[in-house]
Amino acid sequence: MLGLAGILGMSCAVRRAPAPDPRSPCPALRPSGGSSAPIRWLLRQDADERSALDAWCWGVGPVVFVEYPSGEVHRIAPPTLDSLVVVVWNTNIGKGDLDRLIDDLRSGRLTGRPAVHFALLLQEVHRTGAAVPADVPDWVATANAADGEGRADIARFAERHRLSLLYAPSMRSGDSQDEAPGRDRGNAILSTLPLEAPTMFELPWERQRRVAVLAQVEGRRSDGEPWSLRLASAHLDNRARFGRIHRSFGSARERQAAALAEVLADDQATALGADLNTWLGGANATATRVLRETLPLPETLPAGATAKLPGPIPDLQLDYLLFRIPEAWSAGYHVAEDAYGSDHRPLVGWIDFTARASTNAQTGDADQSPAEGASRADRRSRSTRTGR
């Protein structure tokens, strides 16, 4: 999240791991959560970046990857599903009310009809407990403190709501001498569907360590045609480090966006949910334009602020849901009115895997799919549906 002091303030000297090591500690963090599926790591290789990023790595706990929703076993066949609800949200280091968001999804209050299947692309989620190192050296790089009170632990939340989970911690919350239990934060993907092909992509280093998470979900349309969708959750820096403070006005985020776009630049159907921190330019910022060259939908982005800033600072458009999908599909999103206790409003999106009106195999409702229900809710909101 952006604060005025964060833009203009000075940062401390860059911290680095004390000795060069050709093996970064980041991928050495074993995935926890019971899955044996391999995780693909895409790490920065530049020596200068690596030494600084390793100082962040030493302060966080392991990746959490729960391949299947809690209590489920491996499915022989993918689910039958003609549409999927996709929500993007910066939870303000876990302070957002994820429980109420899930309740509103499942009840239909947020989408216009109950969302049986959905995916959450989340930024600034919170994790605490024994998985995060309690004691770390004083040279470890850390972010500002975030106590555990009133913050949702992402791993416990996923288990409680029976969701699959991919969580990658980007940074430690609180300094190395903090006596509170270890805490870290990062990006996550949660879904009612099994997650496959987990990938961690470390963004170019500008100020803090940022790790985008990617995973794949699959299913079949009601006519039997298979579909596959890559999901991605990312969070760009709000400013550059003090030694390169001039890059805070766009070039730092442009570099990170370009690297992310390169990873996503293939022919896979993709939905990217991201806090791009476009405090200067919004939808017209260079970082947004770079990503839209690779993920061109919606053709017109919904208008309206997504982040609520303190005091007299105007609210800003920082969050986006971008797609690249086959011609036969359609997709769009709107900005929710309720911030659910965060300083960002969720983006409520949908993907229809077929252009025709289809029966929802989960509910037996032939008149309205979850995507169509989201569209009706969207028309009642201050935003407009876009897509093709």
Side-chain angles (χ1 to χ4, degrees), residues 176-333:
S176 58
Q177 306 306 313
D178 193 340
E179 296 182 359
R183 303 173 303 281
D184 57 27
R185 67 184 79 164
N187 299 319
I189 299 173
L190 295 95
S191 180
T192 57
L193 302 173
L195 295 175
E196 301 180 9
T199 300
M200 311 293 165
F201 174 57
E202 202 172 46
L203 297 184
W205 174 52
E206 289 293 339
R207 184 172 73 94
Q208 296 176 318
R209 181 171 179 259
R210 304 279 177 171
V211 181
V213 291
L214 293 74
Q216 187 171 295
V217 291
E218 296 180 345
R220 289 185 179 277
R221 299 188 326 205
S222 54
D223 62 5
E225 187 71 20
W227 58 260
S228 176
L229 175 69
R230 178 172 57 194
L231 302 169
S233 176
H235 190 182
L236 306 189
D237 271 314
N238 61 4
R239 65 179 175 90
R241 57 192 181 273
F242 180 65
R244 307 171 71 178
I245 197 67
H246 62 284
R247 296 176 57 79
S248 298
F249 296 95
S251 57
R253 288 179 294 281
E254 179 183 0
R255 178 172 174 248
Q256 292 179 328
L260 181 58
E262 183 177 359
V263 167
L264 299 176
D266 51 30
D267 59 357
Q268 280 189 267
T270 299
L272 166 67
D275 176 354
L276 300 183
N277 266 313
T278 49
W279 54 268
L280 185 64
N284 293 316
T286 307
T288 314
R289 297 201 306 269
V290 165
L291 282 165
R292 281 172 61 74
E293 290 177 3
T294 299
L295 305 165
L297 297 179
E299 292 176 353
T300 302
L301 293 173
T306 65
K308 303 171 64 177
L309 301 187
I313 305 174
D315 292 352
L316 296 173
Q317 186 177 18
L318 304 182
D319 308 275
Y320 303 86
L321 177 54
L322 305 178
F323 305 96
R324 181 182 58 247
I325 56 176
E327 289 289 341
W329 298 7
S330 62
Y333 74 90

Side-chain angles (χ1 to χ4, degrees), residues 17 21-30 41 43 50 53-58 139 209:
D21 188 340
R23 298 170 301 170
S24 166
C26 301
L29 301 175
R30 297 186 179 275
W41 288 88
L43 299 173
R50 189 71 268 147
L53 290 168
D54 283 350
W56 293 92
C57 292
W58 285 103
W139 49 261
R209 181 171 179 259

